[in-house]
Amino acid sequence: MGAYLLRRLALMLPTLFGIILINFIVVQFAPGGPVEQALSELRGRGGSTLERVTGGAGEVRAADPTLRGAQGIDPAVVAEIKRAFGFDKPAPVRFWEMLQGYLRFDLGQSLFQGRPVAELIWEKLPVSVSLGLWSTLIIYLVSIPLGIRKAVQDGSSFDLWTSAVVLVGYAIPGFLFAILLAVLFAGGSFVQWFPLRGLLSSGMEHAGFPARALDYAWHMVLPTLALVIGGFASLTMLTKNSFLEEINKQYVTTARAKGAGEQRVLYGHVFRNAMLLIIAGFPAAFIGILFTGALLVEIIFSLDGLGLLGFDAAIRRDYPVMFGTLYVFTLLGLVMQIVGDFTYTLVDPRIDFESRGR
């Protein structure tokens, strides 16, 4: 397993390089970059200082940009803004410097917030991890037992009505369900059983751990429900189909013929084989919920997480934040794929990745 792990780790480097390079090239052709946005903001402010336009990061000396009427902004001011944002260098030089920083896990400085990108990501990470972790765990804890029971009772009334329920839930977008929950239970037109904003109530930062844990769980109920509602269908049906395929195989018939009980057949033989396909999808499910599915839910419930950070960075063309979050997301996704491979061996020790590479 050690040689396989080394091969997978070695493949991570070119994969990361290729993803970052492609996105860097695409971004160079995107209109409305940070320099253009800063100039637009400067024109709107009239006599504001250059330091205010660049977020007060301290890298730019204060200047009084003089507007020249129809001729636009003084070229010296434009050159100063380009220098402040690092766009006075050719694109290959900027890309190489960015890669050098990533090798040291230095993700650079936000162009508009004046703070290190790593600090911003670390600050927003608990919100997104909370949503992704609890949502994924609830989906798996509910969908796998439900899918197994549907497979055992295939064609029954239980199978039919549960299929209808999970498919209706799948058809409802997560953000729409989040709005519905907020209206019904968070002080909309009905009751206010749950809070609408943040992860902790005001003043709870200094409370004891039990009180903070209960308050945190109270805040997480509605956002988590909004994310899990659409995740039940695919995993439930995948579990059901995987178990049905294994149940109809010859080794199950043989085990039953030898007198093995139904529980022994189901959980001693079928479970290990049927769960392989489900485990393979766990990393993708976790990453998907963690970094993509939570964006609108974070906005609706005012949760300042990674999804909202990446969205704001894309809107403002804050390239260091955009590429820093992309680097972290990609790296975490590749690591989760390796974790998924190791989980294969835990479920079924007969799997040998070493032999596949020979």
Side-chain angles (χ1 to χ4, degrees), residues 2 39 55 62 71 92 97 136 177 187 253 262 291 293 296 336 347 357-358:
L39 292 175
Q71 295 182 357
E97 290 179 350
T136 305
F177 192 67
T253 304
E262 194 63 26
F291 297 128
L296 292 176
M336 289 298 293
V347 177
R358 294 170 184 169

Side-chain angles (χ1 to χ4, degrees), residues 190-207:
F190 294 89
V191 298
Q192 189 171 2
W193 292 348
F194 300 96
L196 185 61
R197 297 178 179 276
L199 287 180
L200 288 176
S201 301
S202 177
M204 292 298 297
E205 295 82 1
H206 305 293

Side-chain angles (χ1 to χ4, degrees), residues 127-146:
V127 175
S128 296
V129 168
S130 296
L131 284 174
L133 180 62
W134 294 120
S135 301
T136 305
L137 287 178
I138 291 174
I139 289 172
Y140 269 73
L141 289 175
V142 173
S143 297
I144 291 176
L146 180 60

Side-chain angles (χ1 to χ4, degrees), residues 134 185-187 191-202 204 210-225 301 303:
W134 294 120
F185 304 113
V191 298
Q192 189 171 2
W193 292 348
F194 300 96
L196 185 61
R197 297 178 179 276
L199 287 180
L200 288 176
S201 301
S202 177
M204 292 298 297
R212 284 189 289 112
L214 288 175
D215 189 66
Y216 162 79
W218 185 42
H219 280 75
M220 287 299 298
V221 170
L222 296 187
T224 303
L225 284 177
F301 290 102
L303 301 175

Side-chain angles (χ1 to χ4, degrees), residues 174-176 178-179 182 196 295-303:
F175 74 91
L176 186 61
I179 295 174
L196 185 61
L295 170 59
L296 292 176
V297 173
E298 287 182 8
I299 295 175
I300 292 170
F301 290 102
S302 301
L303 301 175

Side-chain angles (χ1 to χ4, degrees), residues 228-250:
V228 303
I229 189 65
F232 288 131
S234 56
L235 186 59
T236 298
M237 300 310 295
L238 176 62
T239 304
K240 175 189 173 181
N241 294 333
S242 298
F243 271 79
L244 279 178
E245 183 180 355
E246 294 297 324
I247 287 173
N248 294 324
K249 288 185 176 179
Q250 184 63 41

